[in-house]
Amino acid sequence: MKPSIDRVLGKVQIVTETGCWIFMGALNESGYGIVGTGARGSPNDRAHRITYRHFVGEIPAGMFVLHRCDVRSCCNPSH
């Protein structure tokens, strides 16, 4: 099975004008990209959290990863 980061990046469309990385896969009811974290039956995680952990580092317990661009399907870790 592919790592979660590979599954996210394989479904990203970059908008050059804004720099947003729009996740083109499944979205949850709030509009955030979601990706399975392992084999069938494993929990899902949000795409923007996966890219943040991969490119920036772990997310401290109790902290949120917020979007400066306010585009929920964006998973650019600098946004």
Side-chain angles (χ1 to χ4, degrees):
M1 171 159 274
K2 285 184 183 180
S4 298
I5 188 64
D6 292 343
R7 284 183 267 147
V8 170
L9 295 178
K11 294 183 179 183
V12 164
Q13 183 175 1
I14 297 173
V15 179
T16 55
E17 296 82 15
T18 64
C20 286
W21 299 1
I22 304 299
F23 184 71
M24 304 301 288
L27 303 177
N28 68 12
E29 63 280 351
S30 299
Y32 293 98
I34 55 171
V35 175
T37 58
R40 188 172 301 275
S42 296
N44 293 326
D45 198 359
R46 284 171 270 174
H48 67 282
R49 293 177 63 84
I50 292 169
T51 57
Y52 186 91
R53 279 194 300 272
H54 181 78
F55 291 104
V56 178
E58 284 301 313
I59 303 165
M63 299 301 288
F64 296 96
V65 177
L66 302 176
H67 295 266
R68 288 187 188 131
C69 65
D70 287 331
V71 177
R72 291 181 179 189
S73 60
C74 178
C75 56
N76 182 338
S78 68
H79 283 195

